[in-house]
Amino acid sequence: MSSTTSPGTHRSADPAATGEWKPTACILCECNCGLEVLVDAPGRRLVKIRGDRQHHGSRGYTCNKALQLDAYQNPGHERLTSPLRRRPDGTFEEVDWDTALAEIAERLSALREEHGGESILYYGGGGQGNHLGGAYAPATQAAYGIRYRSSALAQEKTGEFWVNARLLGKPNRADIEHAEVAVFLGKNPYQSHGFPRARAVLKEIAKDPARSMVVIDPVRTETAALADHHLQLRPGTDLHLVTALVAVLVQEDLIAHEWLAEHADGLDAVLAVMSRVPIAEYCTVADVPEEQVRAAARRIAAAESVAMLEDLGTQMNRNSTVVSYVEKLVWLLTGNFAKPGTQYVFSGLAPIGRDRGHRAGEGPRSPVTEAPVIGGLIPCNVIPEEILTDHPKRFRAAFVESSNPLHSLADSPRMREAFAALDLVVVIDVAMTETARAANYVLPTPTQYEKYEATFFNFEFPQNLFHLRHPLFEAPPGLLGEPEIHARLCELSGAVGEADYAPLRAALALGREAFATAMLGVLGDPRLARLVPVLLYRTLGPTLESELPNGAAAAAVLWGAAQLCAMENPEGVARAGHGTGPGAGDRLFDAILTSPHGAVITDDVPEASWQRLGGRRIQLDVPELLAVVAALPAQAPAPDPEYPFVLSAGERRAFTANTIIRDPGWRRRDPAGALRLGEGDASRLGVVTGDLVRVVTRTGSAEVPVEVVDNRRPGHVSLPNGFGLSSQAGPATGVAPNELTAGTDRDEFAGTPWHKGVPARLERVG
Ligand SMILES: Nc1nc2c(c(=O)[nH]1)N[C@H]1C(S)=C(S)[C@@H](COP(=O)(O)OP(=O)(O)OC[C@H]3O[C@@H](n4cnc5c(=O)[nH]c(N)nc54)[C@H](O)[C@@H]3O)O[C@H]1N2
Ligand SMILES: Nc1nc2c(c(=O)[nH]1)N[C@H]1C(S)=C(S)[C@@H](COP(=O)(O)OP(=O)(O)OC[C@H]3O[C@@H](n4cnc5c(=O)[nH]c(N)nc54)[C@H](O)[C@@H]3O)O[C@H]1N2
Ligand code: SF4
Ligand SMILES: [Mo]
């Protein structure tokens, strides 16, 4: 750690004695636990970190990872300090902002002119902790006619989004904290979280004899070890197992007939398929004793409340969209919706997870491969195919913001090839990433602790929280926040400018009410409607700075989001204390601005879930998906003898956090990112913990030390996510999982990858 003393100051300047505790949040997973940080302001260091008891969601909780956040804030020489332009020889030169942005604007405009804005892909828009900057990107998209976008959500969640859209018309989440029975499908919340205070809640459930936990995972994870029912299935056989679970509910007549008659259509079609399921045979395929499956189904049916959470173990695996469908049938057929401890429809400030739910084959498609666009996102796995072709509609440019697709998407070698084939790549990031290295222009931005930031991952119930974090530090000179970058690019395109701002500023001078009226006018103007984020930033933004200096203009976009939230959720917003009527949105906005520990945006009653469905009945019959269930063969696919192992490529562990922290020194355990394998496999291979093996897949190979463990099935091995980051300081640490994965291994409905089931072979090294 660098010393914070400057010449002449006393050597023992202890920041703990002189510094200040400031509220903020952890940015390493979607929970965004509230933190209090003792800062060393001149050194821009997070000196001490503790949970924030005043934070409504996390209530003082953190996991082990939050303590390492200084390694994100201070990535050393990986930190970007100036805009960079790539020279023809591949090296980078520093350029000033005016030059960089003017050249980018010119090249984007030229591409639009020649090939249409459809030839430019926008990728990303936020990580686990930062979505405020990305909220301005739609304006840049509008300014340059950029029509297609994608993000990490399109390699994990789009299948589930689509299923939710078909079944309920709305996304939903699980109230694990209050559930009598919590069910985790391909999810290890002990490490990955996914709901507030996960480890504490898991332990509460485990020690309460009146509650139960069901875990469906081929690994005896930390979560599975706490479970009452661990269905330790053969990897990749989730469709058999979960279908068997649903079939037990149907065939033992454990379903909520009255509730379903009142709320749902399509039950007969589901019953027709499920009543014919050969339960015993499917359990054999999944290699789980039938009695265990029946016991879990009966426990679910007997419960007052069941909440169920699926995640990457199935979402990045074979049949993921169909599995998501049968998973939802488990809780729908038992009536576990819109009651405490069940599934609910959340409020929020952004429409994450919403989709129109077109029938398979209908709806928007990607330009070259005609892959389904779900939730507005093209599947990540088709991106290289949308570039590496001479199709006239191919992508010719990529605009990447707060994301690292050259590391995180399937088949990194092919992704590198694809990005190298583009005419223009622009990357906005804080650090020199794998993707930034492939860019023509790299635009440096302050870290999330040097600016106002927030996420739209606000899914809690009954009280939903929004946390606008205030900066802990002043940003270093020479960096621009994302809102400023987007505003300048929009202005340089000629789409928006002073003439558009002036009337809004005049209205604002009369008060927020007049401003709201003027903004309504803007929304009715097709030229300006999609530029609203920048209009807010340039007009309302500066007025926020007078109260909250150091960049609060970035929060301006939340004004619009707050108005929408108040309109969509009047009762919840009122119950949260923001009143009713036309001023509610403004009061909500002000509460967000002035609540550095987070503001409750909505306080819901269970019926709110029904209200959000807007009178639509639940549609249980999704014919495209039910057809797959009906045709499911009663045998497991035969493994390829050349690749007898199943590799789970990207397991969440105690010290992984996507690629948010680049310095490998942050890890207190598992520094090499070991390949985990069972004792039997280890002895057959003749390796012990620490020995090197070569992992060979159909697309790549890598050498990695093994860790012999006792919690997994024979033939099932795993590598952690987020390893193998390039560094200017030395060789990469660990294996980058997507050097081993294939883009063509993807779901037939959503195009999501099969990262959790990569066929692999292991060879002893040396
Ligand atoms: N520590 C840590 N936490 C994180 C992150 C991180 O990088 N590190 N990332 C965050 C992000 S972006 C996400 S999306 C979430 C993901 O959170 P999770 O989905 O919980 O994480 P994973 O470990 O990738 O996969 C979950 C489980 O799937 C199991 N699995 C593997 N194959 C199969 C299978 O065939 N069937 C079933 N049923 N299960 C299988 C694995 O054994 C594993 O326990 O985590 C978030 N939290
Ligand atoms: N094989 C395999 N691949 C996977 C997974 C897996 O399990 N297996 N998991 C997948 C999942 S679930 C996810 S979510 C993705 C995640 O992959 P990505 O979406 O690519 O995201 P991150 O790795 O989180 O990268 C976040 C980027 O944001 C940058 N950043 C940090 N703060 C800021 C900021 O304030 N502004 C800007 N502009 N940039 C900032 C960081 O430096 C980093 O480059 O990985 C996926 N890839
Ligand atoms: S990584 Fe841990 S401390 Fe950080 S938000 Fe997630 S659960 Fe909270
Ligand atoms: Mo993720």
Side-chain angles (χ1 to χ4, degrees):
M1 295 265 161
S2 65
S3 160
T4 58
T5 52
S6 52
T9 55
H10 194 253
R11 184 73 186 82
S12 73
D14 174 11
T18 56
E20 207 188 323
W21 288 91
K22 293 187 174 183
T24 184
C26 176
I27 57 156
L28 297 178
C29 87
E30 61 168 312
C31 290
N32 301 129
C33 297
L35 302 177
E36 287 184 303
V37 178
L38 185 64
V39 298
D40 159 17
R44 294 195 184 84
R45 286 178 47 231
L46 287 71
V47 179
K48 283 191 179 160
I49 298 171
R50 66 184 182 207
D52 179 3
R53 286 169 200 273
Q54 293 181 66
H55 187 274
H56 206 278
S58 56
R59 292 179 269 155
Y61 176 94
T62 72
C63 77
N64 59 295
K65 296 188 291 299
L67 302 181
Q68 311 300 327
L69 278 165
D70 191 60
Y72 159 77
Q73 166 62 28
N74 290 298
H77 45 261
E78 303 289 312
R79 180 85 197 260
L80 296 166
T81 53
S82 159
L84 301 174
R85 179 173 64 195
R86 202 175 65 214
R87 299 191 188 95
D89 70 358
T91 60
F92 286 95
E93 61 189 334
E94 295 191 356
V95 287
D96 61 60
W97 278 100
D98 286 345
T99 306
L101 293 177
E103 290 182 9
I104 292 167
E106 199 184 301
R107 292 178 69 172
L108 288 173
S109 300
L111 277 163
R112 179 189 196 175
E113 195 84 347
E114 207 176 329
H115 305 288
E118 308 89 87
S119 65
I120 307 164
L121 173 70
Y122 175 86
Y123 189 90
Q128 302 294 304
N130 57 317
H131 300 154
L132 206 50
Y136 290 86
T140 300
Q141 277 187 257
Y144 294 94
I146 301 174
R147 182 157 143 216
Y148 294 101
R149 63 186 290 159
S150 191
S151 78
L153 290 171
Q155 39 101 68
E156 48 171 322
K157 296 283 175 282
T158 35
E160 185 177 32
F161 293 169
W162 184 65
V163 170
N164 279 329
R166 294 296 293 272
L167 285 168
L168 294 145
K170 283 286 162 66
N172 53 77
R173 296 279 284 197
D175 181 8
I176 299 291
E177 185 177 0
H178 304 106
E180 180 183 325
V181 174
V183 187
F184 300 110
L185 172 63
K187 168 89 194 157
N188 179 17
Y190 192 88
Q191 292 301 2
S192 68
H193 289 77
F195 53 91
R197 303 167 48 252
R199 289 175 185 171
V201 169
L202 293 174
K203 286 176 192 158
E204 280 162 25
I205 300 174
K207 72 166 192 261
D208 185 342
R211 301 172 74 188
S212 298
M213 198 193 304
V214 178
V215 172
I216 303 172
D217 196 310
V219 178
R220 191 164 178 80
T221 60
E222 298 83 347
T223 309
L226 293 169
D228 305 87
H229 302 258
H230 178 202
L231 309 180
Q232 193 169 4
L233 79 175
R234 188 196 312 271
T237 60
D238 293 81
L239 188 51
H240 288 91
L241 185 90
V242 186
T243 299
L245 202 61
V246 175
V248 173
L249 296 172
V250 167
Q251 294 178 22
E252 295 191 9
D253 198 18
L254 302 173
I255 66 175
H257 289 284
E258 270 176 49
W259 187 90
L260 290 164
E262 195 182 338
H263 297 294
D265 297 331
L267 179 61
D268 289 349
V270 172
L271 295 186
V273 171
M274 291 301 172
S275 59
R276 286 199 304 267
V277 166
I279 295 169
E281 289 173 45
Y282 281 18
C283 292
T284 304
V285 171
D287 195 24
V288 177
E290 182 182 342
E291 262 326 296
Q292 280 185 19
V293 178
R294 288 189 185 269
R298 289 172 194 147
R299 181 67 187 90
I300 287 168
E304 282 295 319
S305 61
V306 178
M308 193 157 175
L309 200 56
E310 57 162 79
D311 214 338
L312 303 187
T314 59
Q315 291 180 344
M316 287 186 171
N317 221 325
R318 282 158 186 76
N319 297 309
S320 56
T321 302
V322 193
V323 173
S324 194
Y325 172 59
V326 287
E327 176 262 313
K328 286 168 207 330
L329 290 179
V330 172
W331 48 266
L332 284 171
L333 293 186
T334 49
N336 283 293
F337 176 72
K339 296 183 293 182
T342 68
Q343 239 67 18
Y344 58 85
V345 181
F346 47 84
S347 70
L349 290 191
I352 294 186
R354 287 195 206 164
D355 179 54
R356 301 277 297 280
H358 292 280
R359 293 180 66 92
E362 296 169 10
R365 327 282 294 171
S366 68
V368 174
T369 63
E370 299 187 6
V373 172
I374 300 175
L377 306 170
I378 75 162
C380 294
N381 276 50
V382 306
I383 289 174
E385 292 161 50
E386 302 278 334
I387 299 171
L388 292 170
T389 161
D390 49 20
H391 194 290
K393 290 189 175 166
R394 68 181 180 274
F395 291 137
R396 294 159 198 268
F399 192 113
V400 180
E401 173 170 6
S402 192
S403 205
N404 191 5
L406 265 54
H407 185 277
S408 58
L409 298 199
D411 198 347
S412 300
R414 193 153 152 83
M415 279 297 293
R416 287 192 289 268
E417 189 190 338
F419 267 49
L422 293 170
D423 296 348
L424 175 67
V425 177
V426 179
V427 169
I428 308 178
D429 208 297
V430 299
M432 197 60 186
T433 67
E434 289 66 23
T435 310
R437 276 170 228 277
N440 301 89
Y441 295 89
V442 186
L443 303 178
T445 193
T447 71
Q448 298 174 47
Y449 296 113
E450 297 165 347
K451 63 190 173 201
Y452 283 81
E453 255 306 355
T455 74
F456 294 115
F457 288 151
N458 323 111
F459 306 127
E460 302 327 317
F461 195 91
Q463 295 192 319
N464 201 1
L465 187 83
F466 188 89
H467 188 188
L468 176 69
R469 289 126 44 192
H470 297 205
L472 300 179
F473 314 111
E474 244 176 72
L479 308 183
L480 293 183
E482 292 91 342
E484 184 65 28
I485 295 173
H486 287 296
R488 291 197 196 181
L489 285 173
C490 288
E491 288 155 356
L492 285 164
S493 77
V496 67
E498 283 302 322
D500 304 304
Y501 306 148
L504 289 169
R505 288 193 185 122
L508 188 57
L510 302 174
R512 288 263 190 89
E513 219 172 300
F515 183 67
T517 311
M519 284 306 297
L520 268 181
V522 165
L523 285 175
D525 175 348
R527 183 180 69 87
L528 287 179
R530 294 187 59 217
L531 294 157
V532 159
V534 165
L535 292 168
L536 287 170
Y537 176 71
R538 285 290 194 232
T539 59
L540 179 64
T543 67
L544 308 176
E545 297 267 351
S546 61
E547 303 277 316
L548 300 165
N550 204 5
V557 71
L558 298 175
W559 181 85
Q563 307 295 332
L564 268 180
C565 180
M567 278 192 279
E568 284 181 6
N569 311 281
E571 291 167 28
V573 166
R575 229 176 275 110
H578 310 299
T580 54
D586 261 311
R587 284 187 292 274
L588 174 58
F589 176 63
D590 287 334
I592 288 169
L593 281 184
T594 54
S595 306
H597 302 271
V600 175
I601 55 172
T602 49
D603 190 350
D604 279 324
V605 289
E607 295 72 53
S609 288
W610 289 120
Q611 287 162 9
R612 291 189 180 119
L613 298 195
R616 183 188 187 276
R617 288 170 66 82
I618 296 165
Q619 301 299 319
L620 297 170
D621 178 15
V622 182
E624 305 96 306
L625 301 180
L626 206 48
V628 179
V629 181
L632 190 63
Q635 77 233 19
D640 181 341
E642 268 201 67
Y643 300 98
F645 283 87
V646 175
L647 167 68
S648 184
E651 187 174 68
R652 270 64 185 165
R653 296 183 183 170
F655 286 95
T656 70
N658 293 353
T659 69
I660 304 165
I661 305 184
R662 298 191 64 83
D663 174 1
W666 78 285
R667 297 193 171 95
R668 294 288 169 269
R669 285 202 296 280
D670 192 24
L675 178 102
R676 290 189 178 156
L677 85 171
E679 288 155 345
D681 288 329
S683 68
R684 271 185 296 279
L685 274 166
V687 293
V688 296
T689 293
D691 285 354
L692 269 192
V693 294
R694 188 177 302 109
V695 194
V696 185
T697 67
R698 290 181 189 133
T699 52
S701 73
E703 289 182 12
V704 59
V706 300
E707 179 187 347
V708 182
V709 290
D710 63 1
N711 68 353
R712 60 201 69 204
R713 300 174 53 105
H716 191 222
V717 298
S718 70
L719 282 170
N721 71 320
F723 274 75
L725 300 182
S726 54
S727 158
Q728 285 155 2
T733 308
V735 178
N738 290 311
E739 300 294 330
L740 301 172
T741 58
T744 46
D745 284 348
R746 61 189 186 228
D747 185 68
E748 67 171 303
F749 292 98
T752 41
W754 296 346
H755 292 332
K756 303 298 165 181
V758 181
R761 171 169 82 232
L762 300 184
E763 295 164 359
R764 226 184 110 170
V765 176

